[in-house]
C-alpha cells in the first residue's frame, strides 16, 4: 500500500488527472478533443473558442451541438461536399465553426479571437451580424457574452491540462 500512496511522486505530472472539470471532460471525450484540434489546425479557430461556441458543456450528450443559420449551413455543406453533414456530429459541428469563422473573418472583418461575434455570426449568418447593429437582439447578445466568458474560462482551464497541451501541437503556438 505504501507504494501506491506515493504515485504522484513516481508518475510524471502530465499523467496525473487534473481536478479541473474541463480537462477531465476533454480526457473522457477524445472525439471532442480530436475534432477541436483538427478544426484549429485546418481553419485556425482556437480550440478554446471552438469549444465555447458549442451548445452543450463538455462531458454531456447533445442532439445538436450548433444551431447555424439555414443558408450558412447549406453553403457549408456545398463547400465541404458533406451532404450528410449533421449538427449532431461533433466533428462536423466543429468543422463548420472553423469554416464559418474563416468566412466571418473574410466577410465581416472578424478575428479568430472574437468568440462572441463569431458565435452571433454562426447563429444568424454573416448578413444577420451586420443587421444586428441596427436591430439588437438582447437574448442573442447575452448568449454571445456567455460564449465570450466561456472561451476566456476555457483558455485558462487549458493551462492546467498538460496531456492535452502535449497532444495538440497547436498549443505551443499560443502565447502562454
Amino acid at each position: 500500500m505504501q507504494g501506491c500512496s506515493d504515485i504522484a511522486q513516481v508518475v510524471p505530472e502530465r499523467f496525473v488527472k487534473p481536478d479541473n472539470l474541463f480537462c477531465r471532460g476533454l480526457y473522457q471525450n477524445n472525439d471532442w478533443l480530436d475534432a477541436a484540434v483538427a478544426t484549429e489546425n485546418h481553419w485556425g479557430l482556437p480550440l478554446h473558442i471552438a469549444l465555447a461556441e458549442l451548445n452543450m458543456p463538455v462531458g454531456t450528450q447533445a442532439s445538436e451541438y450548433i444551431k447555424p443559420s439555414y443558408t450558412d449551413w447549406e453553403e457549408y455543406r456545398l463547400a465541404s461536399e458533406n451532404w450528410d453533414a449533421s449538427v449532431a456530429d461533433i466533428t462536423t459541428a466543429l468543422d463548420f465553426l472553423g469554416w464559418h469563422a474563416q468566412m466571418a473573418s473574410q466577410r465581416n472583418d472578424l478575428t479568430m479571437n472574437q468568440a462572441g461575434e463569431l458565435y452571433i455570426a454562426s447563429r444568424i449568418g454573416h448578413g444577420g451580424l451586420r443587421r444586428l447593429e441596427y436591430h439588437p437582439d438582447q437574448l442573442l447578445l447575452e448568449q454571445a457574452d456567455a460564449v465570450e466568458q466561456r472561451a476566456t474560462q476555457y483558455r485558462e482551464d487549458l493551462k492546467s491540462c498538460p496531456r492535452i497541451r502535449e497532444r495538440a501541437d497547436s498549443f505551443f503556438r499560443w502565447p502562454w
Side-chain angles (χ1 to χ4, degrees):
M1 292 298 282
Q2 177 63 26
C4 294
S5 67
D6 294 334
I7 193 162
Q9 297 169 359
V10 177
V11 177
E13 179 185 338
R14 66 179 188 226
F15 295 113
V16 177
K17 291 202 175 192
D19 292 334
N20 184 314
L21 292 175
F22 178 74
C23 297
R24 192 174 309 145
L26 287 177
Y27 292 143
Q28 293 170 354
N29 294 288
N30 281 328
D31 53 339
W32 286 61
L33 179 57
D34 292 342
V37 168
T39 295
E40 183 176 26
N41 289 335
H42 186 252
W43 300 108
L45 182 64
L47 185 141
H48 64 283
I49 291 178
L51 292 174
E53 283 192 55
L54 297 175
N55 288 336
M56 303 297 286
V58 172
T60 64
Q61 297 296 320
S63 60
E64 291 184 341
Y65 288 108
I66 56 173
K67 294 182 180 181
S69 73
Y70 176 78
T71 54
D72 287 350
W73 181 251
E74 290 304 311
E75 184 180 353
Y76 166 75
R77 288 178 1 119
L78 181 64
S80 66
E81 296 182 1
N82 185 355
W83 310 116
D84 295 331
S86 169
V87 294
D89 176 60
I90 190 65
T91 302
T92 303
L94 286 168
D95 189 61
F96 169 81
L97 290 175
W99 171 85
H100 200 274
Q102 190 173 79
M103 294 297 107
S105 70
Q106 294 170 2
R107 296 175 182 173
N108 293 328
D109 295 323
L110 297 179
T111 68
M112 294 290 186
N113 291 317
Q114 293 177 281
E117 288 83 356
L118 290 171
Y119 173 77
I120 292 172
S122 72
R123 285 292 307 278
I124 62 175
H126 301 292
L129 180 64
R130 288 192 184 131
R131 288 188 298 276
L132 189 65
E133 295 173 10
Y134 307 106
H135 304 286
D137 177 340
Q138 194 58 38
L139 178 60
L140 187 61
L141 293 175
E142 289 172 10
Q143 291 170 343
D145 186 50
V147 167
E148 190 78 43
Q149 290 175 17
R150 229 179 4 253
T152 301
Q153 183 61 52
Y154 288 176
R155 183 180 178 96
E156 285 302 308
D157 289 347
L158 283 167
K159 292 178 183 178
S160 63
C161 303
R163 288 188 353 199
I164 291 174
R165 287 198 314 265
E166 290 173 6
R167 185 170 167 187
D169 298 344
S170 58
F171 280 61
F172 296 109
R173 293 192 313 249
W174 292 8
W176 295 11

